[in-house]
Amino acid sequence: MNTKQVIKRAHSFAKPFRVTDRRGFSLKDIDPGDTLQFGSEEKPRAQEALAIGIQALAELQDMLYAQDRWAVLLIFQAMDAAGKDGTIKHVMSGVNPQGCQVDSFKAPSAEDLNHDYLWRCMQRVPERGRIGIFNRSYYEEALVVRVHREFLEKQTLPPELVTKNIWTHRFQDIRSYERYLARNGVIIRKFFLHVSKKEQKRRFLERLENPEKNWKFSANDIKERAFWNDYMDAYEDMIRNTATPDAPWYVVPADNKWFTRIVVGAAVVEALDALDLRYPKVSKEKLKELSAAKQVLLGGEKS
Ligand code: ATP
Ligand code: MG
């Protein structure tokens, strides 16, 4: 398959799940079990598509690194057991580790809480030429913090700033911040891995029953599951308010891990391809230098 075909295929996987418009988005329109035209019998063909996507990604990343102009920030949000970790592991499996970084944002530390909520994430935005991954992010500020008001209290904000408009303000600020990053050459793609409540239950049970997966289970996961509907409302509102052409959300069906990985891989390939990356052109002086070095190596050098 040539590059053009790979890109075309990437578009067909990513586009159905891309949200760029703040109006009209409804979570119920995306089925967590969706696999487009692929039935489970076609899984091997789909996995081949993933392998091709990973290969394309590795080539694009090499140019991103060499060109050293753009940075890429991939943000992952999801309910527990939706497959964030596995998706990151698989999709990034072909890239050069020197050109990428992963940061996980868990419950904030005392130092984090003493700052504005973007502070800890801002420090981890990737530098030019690199791909940065946020495993959870400042979006938790409109999710877990919205579902559990006690987290907001821990932030010790001046009380007059904590009004009923606080979520609207957070969305405005996040949109502005992402626009700022986009204007500075940071390409942002956001992924909500949309798992169903039923599939989450199946995966939790698997974690409880399989000794090799026990470590993945946390009692807190069950507590959060009880707030499922609140989380879905918060996710929907968050996507409606922060999906923009510069920083789109991809609402990725997550009941089938193999499909999730293909869609995320395709979205990243698509994002990098849109940058028209190329290796830096070497100047005339540099070419002379290279040719002189070659002569030294091939010619008079004493061995
Ligand atoms: P795993 O797949 O291993 O469970 P995880 O991302 O769920 O990975 P955990 O340590 O289980 O990692 O959970 C991190 C927790 O931190 C989540 O429950 C998340 O909601 C919480 N968290 C993240 N950011 C914030 C925040 N700003 N305020 C409060 N809680 C937060
Ligand atoms: Mg967890």
Side-chain angles (χ1 to χ4, degrees), residues 43-54:
K43 207 166 135 181
R45 204 159 68 85
Q47 270 161 342
E48 190 194 330
L50 177 63
I52 292 168
I54 288 172

Side-chain angles (χ1 to χ4, degrees), residues 21-70:
D21 190 350
R22 289 164 46 199
R23 291 151 310 213
F25 170 73
S26 181
L27 201 48
K28 67 170 171 18
D29 294 341
I30 310 279
D31 171 10
D34 191 4
T35 54
L36 290 175
Q37 77 278 24
F38 286 100
S40 53
E41 73 286 356
E42 281 172 299
K43 207 166 135 181
R45 204 159 68 85
Q47 270 161 342
E48 190 194 330
L50 177 63
I52 292 168
I54 288 172
Q55 173 65 31
L57 187 55
E59 285 163 21
L60 288 163
Q61 186 221 8
D62 203 49
M63 283 191 272
L64 180 85
Y65 190 76
Q67 196 184 42
D68 206 15
R69 288 286 182 274
W70 301 95

Side-chain angles (χ1 to χ4, degrees), residues 80-81 84-85 105-108 120 135-137 140-141 144-145 151 155 207 216 218 220-221 224 231:
D80 285 302
K84 277 186 284 110
D85 292 5
F105 295 97
K106 312 231 170 193
R120 65 173 175 162
N135 184 347
R136 301 190 188 269
S137 65
E140 291 290 329
E141 294 292 333
V144 68
V145 180
F151 286 129
Q155 296 184 358
R207 288 178 179 189
K216 281 192 184 176
S218 142
N220 196 50
D221 294 353
E224 291 311 298
Y231 271 110

Side-chain angles (χ1 to χ4, degrees), residues 158-169:
E160 59 268 42
L161 298 182
V162 185
T163 68
K164 65 174 178 13
N165 294 324
I166 189 158
W167 311 116
T168 310
H169 292 160

Side-chain angles (χ1 to χ4, degrees), residues 134-162:
F134 284 1
N135 184 347
R136 301 190 188 269
S137 65
Y138 45 82
Y139 279 104
E140 291 290 329
E141 294 292 333
L143 296 166
V144 68
V145 180
R146 192 172 186 183
V147 172
H148 299 289
R149 285 295 288 238
E150 61 275 21
F151 286 129
L152 191 59
E153 276 149 36
K154 278 199 196 159
Q155 296 184 358
T156 59
L157 286 158
E160 59 268 42
L161 298 182
V162 185

